[in-house]
Amino acid sequence: MKRKNPIEEARRYVENAKETLQEKGEFNAELNRYDDEKYVRAAGNYLWLGVLMALDSVFQVRKDRRTRADIRDYKEAVGKRDRKLLALVNDGYEVMHLYMNYDGNQSKGISDDGFRLANAIIDRCEAMA
C-alpha cells in the first residue's frame, strides 16, 4: 500500500528504524552500544531513506523516480533555500548514512544522534511543505 503523504511515510521509516533497534538490536547497557552492527546498519538505512523521502517532498531533486540523485544535488537544492536545514542534512548524511549505515557504528550515542537528526530534518521539511 503506497501512502500519499511523504512526511507520514518518512516518519514511518523512522518508526521502523526504532523498532529494528529495540526488538533486535541487543543493546549492551554496560558498554552503551549495540552488540550487532547488522541492525544498526538497517536502522541507519531506514532513517536515511525517510530523510530522503521528506527532502524529495519539498525539493524535487530527482526529476523522475527511476533516476538516482547524488547527495550534492540535495545539498545544493537545500542550501539555496534553508541554510539551517543544510547543516542538518550535512550532519545527518554523516551520522545516518555513513556512520550508521556504512560503518555500522554500534555506539548508542551515534544512533541517538541519528534519530534526533532524522526527526529534525523531517519536521523542518514538514514546515516547508
Side-chain angles (χ1 to χ4, degrees), residues 11-28 33-49 100-101 108 111-112 115:
R11 292 193 194 287
R12 192 169 76 97
Y13 275 70
V14 172
E15 281 304 309
N16 288 345
K18 185 177 180 180
E19 288 172 12
T20 297
L21 283 180
Q22 285 178 343
E23 294 173 10
K24 300 176 183 171
E26 298 179 26
F27 179 68
N28 184 328
R33 59 184 285 125
Y34 294 95
D35 289 334
D36 194 342
E37 74 178 40
K38 172 184 175 181
Y39 299 109
V40 173
R41 287 175 186 264
N45 190 43
Y46 286 139
L47 290 173
W48 187 242
L49 288 174
M100 290 177 74
N101 187 21
K108 185 170 186 323
S111 296
D112 289 348
F115 281 96

Side-chain angles (χ1 to χ4, degrees), residues 52 54-63 69-87 89-90 125 128:
L52 291 179
L55 290 171
D56 283 338
S57 74
V58 176
F59 295 100
Q60 288 82 40
V61 171
R62 298 191 302 171
K63 305 296 182 237
D70 189 270
I71 186 61
R72 290 174 287 207
D73 298 330
Y74 285 102
K75 288 178 179 183
E76 182 180 331
V78 171
K80 288 178 181 175
R81 189 155 163 203
D82 187 338
R83 302 297 284 175
K84 290 180 183 178
L85 180 58
L86 177 60
V89 169
N90 284 330
C125 286
M128 296 173 86

